[in-house]
Amino acid sequence: MKAIRSIRGMHDILPDSVHLWQHLEDQLRDLLTRYGYHEIRMPLVEATELFARSIGDVTDIVEKEMYTFEDRNGDSLSLRPEATASCVRAGIQHGLLHNQVQRLWYMGPMFRHERPQKGRYRQFHQVGVEVFGLPGPDIDAEVLAMTARLWRMLGLSNVRLELNTLGTPECRAQYREHLIAHFEAHREQLDEEARNRLYDNPMRILDSKDPGTREVVATAPSLMDHLDAESRAHFDALCGHLDALGIAWEHNPRLVRGLDYYTHTVFEWITDELGAQGTVCAGGRYDGLVEQLGGRGTPAIGMAMGLERLVALLEAREDAPAAGVPDAYLVVPDTEQTGEALRLAEELREARPDLQLVQHCGGGSMKSQMKRADRLGARVALVLGPDEAAAGTVTVKPLRGEGGEQQTVARADLSAHMDTALQS
Ligand code: ATP
Ligand code: MG
């Protein structure tokens, strides 16, 4: 019979690489807690309308990337392609947003029907941050400082910050008219996708990858020239904070992001080490979204990072965190001692909660059990054979490095002896 395989673009994370994920997740939890952020967990499935209304109808995600299906009762549901919309929905629903400051974070899988390639999957994982109730730019700077700290904690030095402002909806609307006029004047040079977007979402043309379109973009008017005083002040203040913090940044006036809800600050953290899929973290301010989803007007800023891309960066490091190995492997050469060995293992786990102890199960010769201990990378083998059982002892055999001498110790002293045994 033909074996069933996983869905294209959706990957198993296997035990031999999961330690990198755990390392990353631990560092993130630690970081976010230090900055006073609280975790929130939302369902993986939401009403399709939630994403259409927030991300925007004329975006890649909603037009062609969502996993949308009909529930048995006929409702249209979607697997979440991102979690900002879900987080805002939850915040409104549970009254977390009005007149409050919330610093929230989430972690989990997202789903987009994209063409799978390196760094781009159909199920991928994000850690995201959403802050509500603060109009910035101080909080914008905090979010970026926190991210910069994460790169330092992870030992990633080649991640650079690109920053832009999209201004208020009012100056954007004005700018939009200038942009459309410019693109209309060069219509014949635009690729088909750009022409289709011309009236629906002209700002998205700014980050087109088509060479012809890029030439037209190069001479397009800049939003910077159409910013109102408030938008300008917000952007300048943020840049000032970043400079004061010593965080390097680069202004990219063509950075617009693929979602409709952004206002003012938008940013991406980019590395050159991952080829075309180099954006490891992206976000921005979305002051209009809470109201747009039915809540009361609440300023907000958020960001999300792609964990697959960060794991790939960690993997490539020479000093990548190593997988954990057991401290001790309990060898039981004779099945007569199986019951006794189970008790010994429990005794030791009770006395030493810090110890990683694997008990051999399934019988077999002393030699094959020692081999298994070695393959697992255990630092010592503990042997409980007939002689040890009769004498009330355990034999401790170092397996790594210098190792030192094999010793037989009284069972009552084993827990204390483990320190010496593991030191070598
Ligand atoms: P991209 O330009 O790479 O398509 P995006 O603008 O669609 O990114 P966002 O929606 O802002 O991405 O998501 C934030 C981050 O999540 C990205 O910077 C990236 O690290 C990660 N990400 C997005 N889509 C995928 C995917 N299909 N597979 C893996 N990671 C992804
Ligand atoms: Mg995308």
Side-chain angles (χ1 to χ4, degrees), residues 117-305:
Q117 52 194 294
K118 185 169 172 283
R120 198 175 288 291
Y121 310 102
R122 291 182 172 173
Q123 173 173 321
F124 61 99
H125 299 77
Q126 286 183 337
V127 163
V129 157
E130 315 291 349
V131 182
F132 298 96
L134 296 170
D138 47 1
I139 186 66
D140 301 14
E142 175 185 291
V143 166
L144 290 168
M146 184 165 74
T147 321
R149 180 174 301 284
L150 178 67
W151 311 144
R152 289 200 297 279
M153 286 167 71
L154 297 174
L156 304 178
S157 51
N158 295 322
V159 189
R160 63 172 196 279
L161 173 60
E162 290 194 358
L163 194 62
N164 193 22
T165 176
L166 300 178
T168 59
E170 293 74 36
C171 53
R172 214 149 89 200
Q174 231 186 49
Y175 171 62
R176 193 171 176 276
E177 299 308 312
H178 293 277
L179 203 55
I180 290 176
H182 174 78
F183 288 139
E184 275 176 336
H186 299 85
R187 202 190 168 89
E188 68 291 346
Q189 260 178 279
L190 298 176
D191 66 306
E192 194 188 331
E193 196 185 357
R195 269 185 240 167
N196 288 339
R197 277 187 165 150
L198 214 165
Y199 300 102
D200 293 327
N201 202 344
M203 289 191 49
R204 274 299 274 174
I205 301 177
L206 293 175
D207 67 358
S208 165
K209 306 217 157 51
D210 177 80
T213 301
R214 284 179 82 106
E215 271 179 39
V216 183
V217 166
T219 56
S222 168
L223 177 60
M224 294 312 280
D225 301 326
H226 297 271
L227 285 185
D228 54 26
E230 179 209 335
S231 303
R232 180 93 237 174
H234 188 114
F235 188 63
D236 289 346
L238 172 58
C239 298
H241 291 323
L242 293 177
D243 291 342
L245 286 165
I247 296 172
W249 57 277
E250 216 178 302
H251 181 209
N252 176 359
R254 278 182 295 284
L255 181 66
V256 293
R257 312 279 309 116
L259 302 86
D260 275 358
Y261 50 59
Y262 287 111
T263 51
H264 293 297
T265 313
V266 288
F267 58 86
E268 290 192 359
W269 290 92
I270 302 166
T271 172
D272 295 322
E273 290 174 33
L274 294 175
Q277 268 59 253
T279 303
V280 291
C281 173
R285 179 163 279 286
Y286 51 92
D287 293 337
L289 184 59
V290 176
E291 198 169 3
Q292 198 179 311
L293 288 177
R296 281 197 249 182
T298 306
I301 178 170
M303 64 167 179
M305 46 194 118

Side-chain angles (χ1 to χ4, degrees), residues 314-321:
L314 286 178
E315 231 164 13
R317 285 174 50 101
E318 267 167 30
D319 56 345

